[in-house]
Amino acid sequence: MNIAVLGAGSWGTALALVLADNHHDVKLWTHRESQADQINESHSNEKYLPGVTLADEITAFSNIRDAIDSTDMIVFAVPAKATREVAEQVNQVSENPAVIVHVSKGIEPDTHLRISQILEETLTPEAMSDLVVLSGPSHAEEVVKRHPTTVTAASENIEAAKKVQDAFMNQHFRVYTNSDVIGVEVGGALKNIIALAAGITDGLGYGDNAKAALITRGLAEIARLGVKLGAKPLTFSGLTGVGDLIVTCTSIHSRNWRAGNMLGKGHKLDEVLESMGMVVEGVRTTKAAYQLANKYHVTMPITSALYQVLFEGVHPKEAVDQLMTRVKTHEMEDLVNILEDQGEKTGE
């Protein structure tokens, strides 16, 4: 297949390498001409994946028209905040509808739209034939080393999901299919919030007990909001729920964990974001999730505490203390409420 990958950051480049391993012709787009030249001349992307040799089947472009020309599939691997702008550019130059795959993880503040909703709102039928979400526990640094990685392709059209599964899957990169687009996107986006919080607890010097509690209660928050938005509860027990949550909360490869770790050690948010050099999706997503929780009256104490740290100047330790002294409740209360809600929806 002819496949365009839009976004030559670490994840876009890693996925381009997976596709090249599967013998597809891959066009990798970046808005920086100098980066495209480096990729084509040295077969490397030193800023984002130093020391990694890129396959000859990967050709970089800085002109988006050339990048998507005659492609069967377009992979959106740009930061969440750039999705709308890049989709509008695709609209302007697209000459044939392609399967659109997005791999970004975030929710747009204020509009509260998931990435697939942004693409559906922006792309015309002349540019998009089907839409698929590719998500799961996956760090680019390990994918390029061809370490075993497993993700999920989700779409309302399961045949489109299978097409993406066939395009990406190989002996190192396993792809499952799923029809719960909402659950896959919400799990992938909101886990970045919990990863920021996990980094903060590590930065404060708290141990494994605190992190285990944070991950577990964080999953409850994710499922609580996700189900309210229409997701299936079981999705959060899968790769794009608990799987993505574990890897992002525990790995040094996670930008969100690293950013949180710096916050926990006393660095200011502006200083943290400047030093990262890459987008920390969890910051914007925290704002969006906080707004959604208030809109739908969903209890999300970890998200609320992190929002106070990021945007209201509350000290991280004070936020953790507030979480620990919340009104006592039953651990399974969330699960019972979710099951009751599902029963009401299905009439059981």
Side-chain angles (χ1 to χ4, degrees), residues 9 19 30 54 57 69 75 114 133 154 159 161 200 212-213 303 320 338:
L19 293 167
T30 169
L54 303 181
E57 289 86 352
D69 181 48
V75 180
R114 293 174 281 109
V133 183
E159 293 305 315
I200 286 175
T303 300
V320 173
I338 287 172

Side-chain angles (χ1 to χ4, degrees), residues 277-294:
M278 292 184 283
V279 175
V280 181
E281 295 284 13
V283 174
R284 292 178 83 247
T285 305
T286 298
K287 183 178 180 181
Y290 179 80
Q291 293 171 344
L292 280 168
N294 289 332

